[in-house]
Amino acid sequence: MEQNSKYIISLLLFTGGAACCYFLSLLAGLPFIVPVLLAACLLYGLYYFLFRGQPVLPYNTGKAAAFIFVLSLYYFADNALRLAAKHGGWDAWAIWNLHARYLRSPEHWQNMFLNTESEHPDYPLCQPAFLAFLIRLAANHFSLVLTFTFSLVITLCGPLLIFSELTCKNFIIACIVFLFCAQDIYYIATGVSQYADTLLSVFLLAALVTFNHAAENIKYITVCAALLGFAAFTKNEGVILASVFLIFYLRTFCSKKNIKYTLAGLALPVITVVLFKLKAGVTNDMAASVTSHLAEKLTDPHRYKLIYDSLINNVNQNFYYTAVFLMLYLLVNTVQQKWPGRQLLLLITCLMLYMGIYLITPRDLAWHLETSQSRLLHQLMPSFIYVIALQAAGVKINFAGRFSS
């Protein structure tokens, strides 16, 4: 794995691990020094696990390519600062950052579970818990700066991780993809809105990247499993993404050689998610009423049409170039008489499951699509770009996750 990729993945592992440790410490009523010490141990463990004894391989790039990278970085920063709102989007200050404010208080954090009328206390806590941890480290100062900086860094992590993975395979493709992401207004605007969807998207992307390096070193099975677990602790949709990923590669994750590494990676986030759901004691509002008029919904052609029309409209407005890249990918595979890669099928399966949720939603369908469909697509977009870009770079991935040219 590229050295820069390791830095990004280490940041994501630290985010998820520190969030789990902080929430568990609140649950157990432990003093703040405990999650601080655990986070310090986690940092050392990440260094030992991912970096110790690994040589740094410098990139051999030309001045023109470096200029394109710096220019893309400038465009990204300029767009992010221009599009960012002080308190983020609606869901940021009404849910994610509000949860972080609850979690900053070791005495009153459980009051978060009392507001069931206008809030969502069942939403997983990875991002709010990590933000609360950071803010308490800063002695409860700079909360606005920390929340915005975190959202900006996480938003940048997706394109940077793709760029890092493509650099030594095809630097031209890497620059094109990074420049495209730097100009993607919807991606950047959603990222700096401070929603948890971007963190979930990067966890999924990083899981794909680490799985593709599992043939190099079996420890990446542990890293991949941990990232999937942290995705489940980030949003309820993360459970879907993690489950589909594990099912698609069940033979790899559950082989006699790999099962202990898989369980080691899943242990902390799965325990945290289970304890959180038990503590929340709140039934998910969708899950509680999903069976209402189920047969009627499944046989209503109007619902299918509404979902399809909304999907096409969303793609045309916010994901047009990603869709073009996907169509070209499928066209090339058709001409070459090849099936799409397993990872693309994995992502398409996740997309179909997302659309299936709308089919059976107990809420007003038009409202539900308008308020959330674009963000569900945002969760998958970086991974689609990564998989398509690998194909464009001439890289093939076999079942075990090994790269070949």
Side-chain angles (χ1 to χ4, degrees):
M1 182 181 292
E2 304 302 326
Q3 194 77 0
N4 289 336
S5 298
K6 291 183 182 180
Y7 290 125
I8 296 169
I9 290 169
S10 295
L11 172 63
L12 297 173
L13 290 172
F14 179 73
T15 298
C20 289
C21 292
Y22 181 72
F23 172 74
L24 292 176
S25 72
L26 287 177
L27 198 60
L30 300 175
F32 183 57
I33 188 63
V34 174
V36 172
L37 293 175
L38 290 174
C41 293
L42 178 60
L43 280 176
Y44 177 76
L46 289 173
Y47 163 75
Y48 186 88
F49 195 59
L50 292 177
F51 294 97
R52 187 178 180 188
Q54 298 295 319
V56 177
L57 302 175
Y59 294 137
N60 183 20
T61 59
K63 293 181 179 179
F67 172 77
I68 293 175
F69 173 75
V70 173
L71 182 65
S72 301
L73 205 58
Y74 165 77
Y75 278 132
F76 184 94
D78 181 65
N79 286 326
L81 293 173
R82 179 170 54 85
L83 297 167
K86 181 178 180 180
H87 296 283
W90 168 273
D91 280 8
W93 58 266
I95 299 176
W96 306 111
N97 292 344
L98 179 60
H99 285 178
R101 295 186 67 179
Y102 276 115
L103 294 171
R104 286 159 56 183
S105 171
E107 295 85 11
H108 306 293
W109 69 273
Q110 297 184 59
N111 291 341
M112 176 181 64
F113 301 121
L114 301 178
N115 185 4
T116 59
E117 294 297 325
S118 58
E119 244 257 61
H120 296 277
D122 65 301
Y123 279 14
L125 298 177
C126 185
Q127 179 166 311
F130 185 70
L131 289 174
F133 174 75
L134 289 181
I135 293 168
R136 288 189 68 184
L137 273 180
N140 289 318
H141 297 303
F142 315 114
S143 60
L144 290 179
V145 174
L146 288 172
T147 52
F148 171 72
T149 302
F150 176 76
S151 69
L152 181 62
V153 170
I154 292 300
T155 304
L156 184 57
C157 277
L160 277 179
L161 183 56
I162 297 172
F163 178 83
S164 175
E165 285 298 295
L166 291 174
T167 298
C168 291
K169 300 172 180 67
N170 190 316
F171 198 80
I172 300 300
I173 297 295
C175 288
I176 291 173
V177 169
F178 195 70
L179 184 60
F180 160 74
C181 292
Q183 297 288 347
D184 190 334
I185 299 300
Y186 179 79
Y187 172 77
I188 297 173
T190 305
V192 296
S193 67
Q194 302 176 32
Y195 294 171
D197 301 274
T198 304
L199 179 60
L200 177 58
S201 76
V202 182
F203 275 140
L204 176 61
L205 170 63
L208 289 170
V209 169
T210 50
F211 184 84
N212 289 340
H213 288 280
E216 301 171 12
N217 195 317
I218 200 170
K219 66 186 179 184
Y220 290 125
I221 291 291
T222 300
V223 175
C224 180
L227 290 166
L228 293 174
F230 294 144
F233 189 47
T234 302
K235 289 203 73 179
N236 288 323
E237 299 95 287
V239 177
I240 297 175
L241 299 179
S243 299
V244 172
F245 199 118
L246 291 170
I247 291 171
F248 260 71
Y249 292 104
L250 190 63
R251 183 177 298 178
T252 300
F253 283 111
C254 294
S255 69
K256 290 183 179 180
K257 183 178 68 171
N258 295 341
I259 184 65
K260 61 181 179 181
Y261 295 97
T262 302
L263 294 176
L266 289 174
L268 176 62
V270 168
I271 290 172
T272 306
V273 170
V274 171
L275 291 177
F276 163 69
K277 292 295 184 180
L278 292 174
K279 181 61 181 179
V282 179
T283 304
N284 183 275
D285 51 358
M286 280 194 60
S289 53
V290 73
T291 57
S292 175
H293 305 288
L294 184 60
E296 181 181 338
K297 293 172 183 176
L298 291 174
T299 56
D300 184 358
H302 175 68
R303 296 179 72 85
Y304 288 90
K305 185 177 186 305
L306 194 58
I307 294 169
Y308 175 78
D309 290 343
S310 177
L311 177 62
I312 296 302
N313 184 57
N314 252 313
V315 168
N316 288 335
Q317 286 188 357
N318 303 315
F319 304 94
Y320 180 77
Y321 291 105
T322 304
V324 170
F325 296 153
L326 177 60
M327 291 302 104
L328 290 174
Y329 174 98
L330 295 175
L331 178 62
V332 170
N333 278 270
T334 301
V335 171
Q336 296 177 348
Q337 297 183 335
K338 296 191 304 184
W339 280 97
R342 180 180 288 263
Q343 292 189 343
L344 184 66
L345 294 176
L346 184 158
L347 296 174
I348 292 175
T349 300
C350 292
L351 177 61
M352 292 299 101
L353 287 173
Y354 277 177
M355 297 306 104
I357 292 173
Y358 288 116
L359 191 62
I360 59 177
T361 179
R363 301 170 182 168
D364 178 75
L365 180 55
W367 173 86
H368 201 180
L369 288 166
E370 182 181 355
T371 56
S372 64
Q373 189 184 57
S374 60
R375 285 188 283 124
L376 294 185
L377 296 175
H378 172 80
Q379 295 171 11
L380 300 175
M381 189 273 281
S383 295
F384 269 111
I385 293 295
Y386 167 68
V387 171
I388 294 168
L390 282 181
Q391 174 86 355
V395 177
K396 299 177 183 178
I397 310 169
N398 67 14
F399 176 77
R402 186 186 299 274
F403 285 135
S404 62
S405 298

